[in-house]
Amino acid sequence: LDAAIVGVSADADHSQFINKYGLKFTLLSDTKNEFRQLYGVPKTLGILPGRCTYVIEKETRKVLMKFS
């Protein structure tokens, strides 16, 4: 399986989070809520921008798994 793991949040800078937890996958900044809205990421507690992690098949860009 040729897939990519991608995390998405509203945070503009993920460097401290990546370093703190030693993440080995890409984290995207979605400050305008476009990606999260497109993929239906729910808000946390109904008010905070949601965070989500996806496993995406590289060739077709199909979402294989979603973790929130």
Side-chain angles (χ1 to χ4, degrees):
L1 178 65
D2 193 17
I5 299 172
V6 179
V8 180
S9 82
D11 299 331
D13 181 12
H14 296 109
S15 58
Q16 289 182 342
F17 188 80
I18 290 169
N19 291 333
K20 181 177 180 177
Y21 294 103
L23 300 181
K24 305 294 183 201
F25 57 89
T26 301
L27 290 180
L28 300 178
S29 294
D30 185 25
T31 57
K32 295 182 181 179
N33 196 31
E34 294 168 346
F35 184 93
R36 287 171 291 125
Q37 203 168 39
L38 180 67
Y39 284 92
V41 178
K43 291 184 177 187
T44 303
L45 302 175
I47 56 171
L48 302 172
R51 293 180 175 169
C52 199
T53 302
Y54 296 89
V55 178
I56 301 173
E57 203 277 323
K58 288 184 178 180
E59 187 176 324
T60 64
R61 297 185 181 173
K62 178 181 177 184
V63 175
L64 304 175
M65 297 182 84
K66 176 181 168 184
F67 305 91
S68 55

